Amino acid sequence: MQEHWSEFRVSNDCRDDAEELRRRLADEGYLFFKKLQNPDKLRALRSDMTRIFYDCGWLVAGTNPMDGIADPAKRCTEGDLEYNAVYHRMYRLESFHRLPHEPELTALAERIMGRPALALPGKKARLWFPKFTEHTTPTHQDFVHYQGTYDALTCWAPVGDCPIELGPLAVLPGSHKTRKVLDHHFSLGAGGLVIRVEEIVREFPELNVPWHTTNFELGDTLFFPALTIHKAMPNRTEDRLRISLDNRYEGEGDDIAQHMLEPHMADVTPLSWEEVYADWKTDDLKYYWLKAKHRAVPRDMGYIEKGFSEALELARKRDKRGILALRRVLLSNPASQDAKAAKAVLDEIGVAG
Ligand SMILES: O=C(O)CCC(=O)C(=O)O
Ligand SMILES: [Fe+2]
C-alpha cells in the first residue's frame, strides 16, 4: 500500500533570491531544489561508500557495489553494534565529511539564513536496508534530536537516485507553524521518537494535508528548519540499500548542542575525531569548527529519556517493539544505566536479554 503524497514545490526559480527563499520557507517549512548538487561529486562519494559496504559484506558478492544491492541477511539499523561498525568505517571517509562544505550547499544555507552559516561537524548518513520497514525513520521534528536552535537547517539528499519505493524523505508542509516542539513518543524507527499525526491534527487541523515528497534524482536536495515535521517513506524495494546524507547548518554564533560536535553515534560506539582523520589527505577540514564562533550547550536528554521510559512500559506489557528496543540497549551499551533498567524489566517479564 502506498500512501497519498504530493510533489514538492521546486524552488530552483528563486535560488538566488534571498527574500523569496525565506518567504517560501516561512510559508511551507521547506525548500526543495532539483539537481542542486554536482552529480559527479555525489557519484564519487557513492563509490567510496559502497566500496566499504561491499567489503563489509553488506552488498551481494559479485554485484557492482554502485548498484547498492543489499544482502538481506545482513539487515541491521542504527543502534545495532554491527550497523555502527560499518557506519564508523564509512565515517572515516574524507569525501563524506567534505561534501556538506561544497559551496552550492553552504552558499545556499547562508542565503536562506541571511548570515554566515556553519556546517555542524556531526555529519550523518543513513543506510537503510530493504524490507526492514518497521525501522523506517518515523514522523518527527529534528529539534528533539539535534537541538541548538529552531533555525538550524537540515539538508537532506540521497547519494544515488531515490525513487519513492526506495524511501526518500517526506515533509508535512506548513508544520513548522506549530512553533513548538510537539509530543514525541517511543518508536522502533530510526531516532526512536515519533509524533502521532492523529494527535497533532486534533490541535492543528490545518495539518491534515498530504505529505510532500518526490522521486529524488541524484543532486536533488531538501532543506528544512528544526520544527518541520518529516519522516522517511519505507524502503519497499526488493534488494536496494537506501543511502542518504543529512547534515545541519547553523547561523554563526548560535548555540550548538555538544553531541553535534562529536562523530555521529560516538555515544553508542566510541569514535574520536583523531580516528576519523587517520587516513585523510588534507587538513583544512580537521577541527574546522574550532575557528568559528559558537556556544556549545549541553544536550537535553529529556526527549530520549521519555521515549525510553515508554519502551520500558511497553515491554512490561510484553509489546514486541518495546522488548526489541530494550534488547538493543542491552547489547549496544551494556554498562549504561538504561541497560540496567532494560535488564530489570526483561527479568521481570521473564524474557531473556
Ligand atoms: O534519512 C532518514 O531516514 C532520516 C533523515 C532525517 O530525519 C533528517 O534528515 O532529519
Ligand atoms: Fe529528521
Side-chain angles (χ1 to χ4, degrees):
M1 191 196 69
Q2 203 61 78
E3 63 182 287
H4 183 53
W5 56 274
S6 299
E7 281 286 343
F8 282 134
R9 175 173 188 177
V10 178
S11 285
N12 290 53
D13 59 312
C14 67
R15 217 178 114 171
D16 300 320
D17 180 347
E19 222 168 276
E20 179 61 12
L21 286 170
R22 273 176 241 149
R23 207 190 57 70
R24 284 191 199 176
L25 193 69
D27 192 27
E28 284 167 316
Y30 73 86
L31 289 165
F32 172 72
F33 302 92
K34 290 294 298 171
K35 310 270 172 122
L36 178 71
Q37 298 185 62
N38 179 331
D40 293 335
K41 284 187 185 152
L42 281 163
R43 241 177 253 119
L45 176 59
R46 183 175 174 90
S47 169
D48 292 346
M49 292 172 90
T50 52
R51 169 52 56 191
I52 290 171
F53 306 150
Y54 187 89
D55 290 345
C56 291
W58 275 13
L59 304 180
V60 176
T63 61
N64 181 348
M66 284 296 270
D67 293 338
I69 300 177
D71 177 350
K74 296 290 162 58
R75 288 189 323 184
C76 55
T77 190
E78 286 184 5
D80 292 333
L81 288 179
E82 60 271 38
Y83 181 95
N84 291 5
V86 175
Y87 183 68
H88 278 172
R89 208 166 136 183
M90 184 285 301
Y91 209 81
R92 293 158 200 249
L93 287 173
E94 187 173 352
S95 51
F96 164 72
H97 288 270
R98 186 161 297 278
L99 201 90
H101 297 268
E102 291 294 338
E104 62 255 39
L105 295 176
T106 52
L108 193 54
E110 297 197 337
R111 199 170 306 128
I112 297 167
M113 290 185 171
R115 57 204 180 109
L118 182 72
L120 300 192
K123 314 283 191 309
K124 295 178 174 55
R126 312 285 173 179
L127 318 166
W128 290 171
F129 277 77
K131 305 247 177 84
F132 208 30
T133 54
E134 70 268 35
H135 298 284
T136 304
T137 307
T139 303
H140 69 280
Q141 292 166 309
D142 273 354
F143 190 80
V144 297
H145 297 299
Y146 312 120
Q147 303 168 17
T149 75
Y150 289 169
D151 295 330
L153 274 183
T154 288
C155 172
W156 189 93
V159 190
D161 290 343
C162 189
I164 296 296
E165 66 269 22
L166 190 53
L169 216 67
V171 160
L172 199 56
S175 51
H176 62 304
K177 290 180 185 161
T178 58
R179 292 186 197 284
K180 61 175 183 180
V181 180
L182 299 163
D183 246 0
H184 286 67
H185 300 278
F186 162 75
S187 164
L188 249 198
L193 292 171
V194 63
I195 294 173
R196 295 187 187 129
V197 176
E198 65 281 9
E199 280 177 10
I200 53 159
V201 296
R202 247 181 271 142
E203 189 181 349
F204 300 100
E206 64 278 19
L207 293 182
N208 193 8
V209 289
W211 290 84
H212 283 192
T213 186
T214 197
N215 289 288
F216 277 75
E217 295 177 296
L218 191 66
D220 293 356
T221 304
L222 174 70
F223 286 89
F224 55 89
L227 291 182
T228 296
I229 297 173
H230 59 286
K231 66 174 181 180
M233 306 294 274
N235 177 354
R236 294 194 196 281
T237 61
E238 268 310 300
D239 56 6
R240 304 289 155 142
L241 190 70
R242 189 264 254 177
I243 305 171
S244 62
L245 305 178
D246 50 283
N247 290 303
R248 280 148 197 97
Y249 298 88
E250 284 203 29
E252 197 180 86
D254 283 359
D255 287 354
I256 300 178
Q258 182 62 42
H259 67 298
M260 297 303 285
L261 300 171
E262 305 296 337
H264 185 208
M265 239 105 76
D267 53 338
V268 184
T269 304
L271 179 71
S272 69
W273 286 117
E274 281 309 304
E275 289 168 303
V276 170
Y277 297 152
D279 297 326
W280 285 25
K281 304 263 183 299
T282 61
D283 293 331
D284 60 314
L285 283 183
K286 293 182 182 169
Y287 301 107
Y288 66 91
W289 61 95
L290 297 180
K291 288 179 238 132
K293 268 188 275 155
H294 66 265
R295 212 162 59 109
V297 296
R299 177 183 190 180
D300 174 359
M301 296 301 288
Y303 305 107
I304 299 282
E305 280 165 7
K306 174 174 178 267
F308 184 66
S309 58
E310 287 183 7
L312 292 171
E313 236 3 84
L314 283 170
R316 270 196 195 99
K317 293 182 192 143
R318 297 172 192 280
D319 177 285
K320 276 206 294 253
R321 293 164 313 140
I323 293 171
L324 188 57
L326 299 198
R327 282 196 169 131
R328 184 171 280 157
V329 168
L330 259 184
L331 279 174
S332 65
N333 217 346
S336 65
Q337 279 304 344
D338 283 357
K340 288 195 187 89
K343 171 113 180 47
V345 169
L346 292 176
D347 285 349
E348 189 182 307
I349 60 170
V351 169

